[in-house]
Amino acid sequence: MNIDEKKQERRELLERMKESLQEELIACEVAEPEQEGLPPVLNVILDALAKDDAEEGAIGEFYFDPIASEEDEIQHFSSVITLMDDLPKGHLPELFEAITYMNFVLPCGRYCIDKDCTFLAYRLTVPFSIELSGDALFEQMNICMANAVAAADIYMEPLVQLAAGEVTLDEAKEYV
């Protein structure tokens, strides 16, 4: 496997996904990495995950993790969906507890909070054979993205409401 060729193919597949989403009138762009060694990221506004009063939905970031060496046999495609990007600090203990209950029954991926406790996100990383490429890899990317959006939506509402102090931990646990 040639790492540079694989990087180029991945970049082209992200661009292809962007074009496919834009045909469906979904706002998105492929962002170039700001640091050397980081991958390009497909940023997508997910209006389907918008709260009732929100102007826009959650933000999805979709990317391939970097390849460590030419001997790698697995590649990883990651989906990170930011559900809240200005996390209130007042209900963090209850939010952490609710996340543990919901992650236990989630079909795939996980809800998480960053180390600075500033944003609530859903994350799904899927391993694929490094040999998977072209249309087959594009199809798997599409499936992964759709699964991430669907899974993020399962408990998004009670988690966001709990973080905002709109429901109690016991009320949020009723969703599980």
Side-chain angles (χ1 to χ4, degrees), residues 30-115:
V30 176
E32 292 303 322
E34 294 178 11
Q35 289 181 288
E36 183 74 27
L38 293 180
V41 176
L42 174 61
N43 295 308
V44 181
I45 295 176
L46 301 168
D47 288 331
L49 297 180
K51 284 186 70 173
D52 295 335
D53 58 347
E55 290 181 18
E56 59 185 42
I59 304 296
E61 297 175 297
F62 305 96
Y63 56 93
F64 288 94
D65 292 344
I67 299 171
S69 76
E70 292 199 9
E71 287 77 38
D72 284 0
E73 295 180 8
I74 302 294
Q75 59 184 320
H76 294 92
F77 185 72
S78 292
S79 302
V80 178
I81 300 173
T82 302
L83 305 174
M84 290 183 81
D85 62 0
D86 189 16
L87 197 56
K89 305 289 189 246
H91 302 282
L92 282 175
E94 295 92 347
L95 185 58
F96 278 115
E97 186 174 342
I99 286 172
T100 62
Y101 299 128
M102 293 171 184
N103 280 345
F104 186 76
V105 296
L106 222 95
C108 60
R110 66 201 172 276
Y111 294 101
C112 48
I113 296 173
D114 69 311
K115 67 179 180 171

Side-chain angles (χ1 to χ4, degrees), residues 49 102 105-108 111 122 147-159 175:
L49 297 180
M102 293 171 184
V105 296
L106 222 95
C108 60
Y111 294 101
Y122 169 83
N147 285 337
V149 171
D153 190 41
I154 294 173
Y155 299 117
M156 181 184 87
E157 184 177 342
L159 288 174
Y175 285 83

